[in-house]
Structures are given as structure tokens and as C-alpha cells.
Amino acid sequence: MLDTFSGLDPTLRLPWFGPAMSAASSLTARIMETWAHTQDIADALGVTRKATPRLRHVAHIGVGARAFSYAVHGKTPPAAPVRVELTGPDGAPWT
């Protein structure tokens, strides 16, 4: 993935199962999917994974995909901005 994505313009639209997404969003989605599916395996095995600051990438795509989720359902997102505040595993605030 590093070889493929490092040579791409981050704004290049890539085909996907839904609407095309930018290379930057596609790479971020791969990070999120890897985390989510690994969590599925950990849950099935009863393993507790240690939270790390890398979870910020997962939170970032969740917030960033908000407008996209409205668009794929033919809806317009509310005009009012949304503020997301989380506490990272080290206690630092993420906004």
C-alpha cells in the first residue's frame, strides 16, 4: 500500500463500491478498516487490545465521513457545524 499510495496525488479520485473517493480518504479508510476488522477478531477471541494514540486516525475518518454519509443517501447535511471532543488513551483531548 505504501508503494501504491505514496506516488498518488492525494486528491485523485479512486473507484470504490460507492462513489469514488480521494486517494487520501481511501488510504485513511484502509487504516480504519484494518483497525475495525482486527477489533472484530479480538472480540471473538475475548482479547482486550490496548488503546493507543493511533485510534485518532479512526476517529478522524468517522468525523470526516459525516458529510459523505449524507451524500450517499441523497441528503444534505445540516448547516450547523458539529464539534467532536474525545479523550485520547493518554488523556489528551482530541477535537
Side-chain angles (χ1 to χ4, degrees):
M1 281 184 22
L2 289 175
D3 290 343
T4 299
F5 281 94
S6 66
L8 295 179
D9 174 348
T11 63
L12 175 69
R13 303 302 289 181
L14 302 176
W16 187 240
F17 292 103
M21 57 177 30
S22 71
S25 292
S26 181
L27 181 57
T28 304
R30 302 300 67 79
I31 293 168
M32 181 276 305
E33 286 177 349
T34 300
W35 175 84
H37 295 305
T38 304
Q39 186 63 50
D40 291 338
I41 294 166
D43 290 345
L45 296 174
V47 175
T48 301
R49 295 170 61 198
K50 181 181 180 207
T52 71
R54 294 179 298 172
L55 288 172
R56 188 176 185 119
H57 295 290
V58 178
H60 176 79
I61 195 168
V63 173
R66 181 175 175 267
F68 180 76
S69 67
Y70 279 93
V72 298
H73 292 286
K75 298 184 177 194
T76 302
V82 172
R83 180 177 175 87
V84 177
E85 296 181 11
L86 302 171
T87 302
D90 61 357
W94 294 347
T95 56

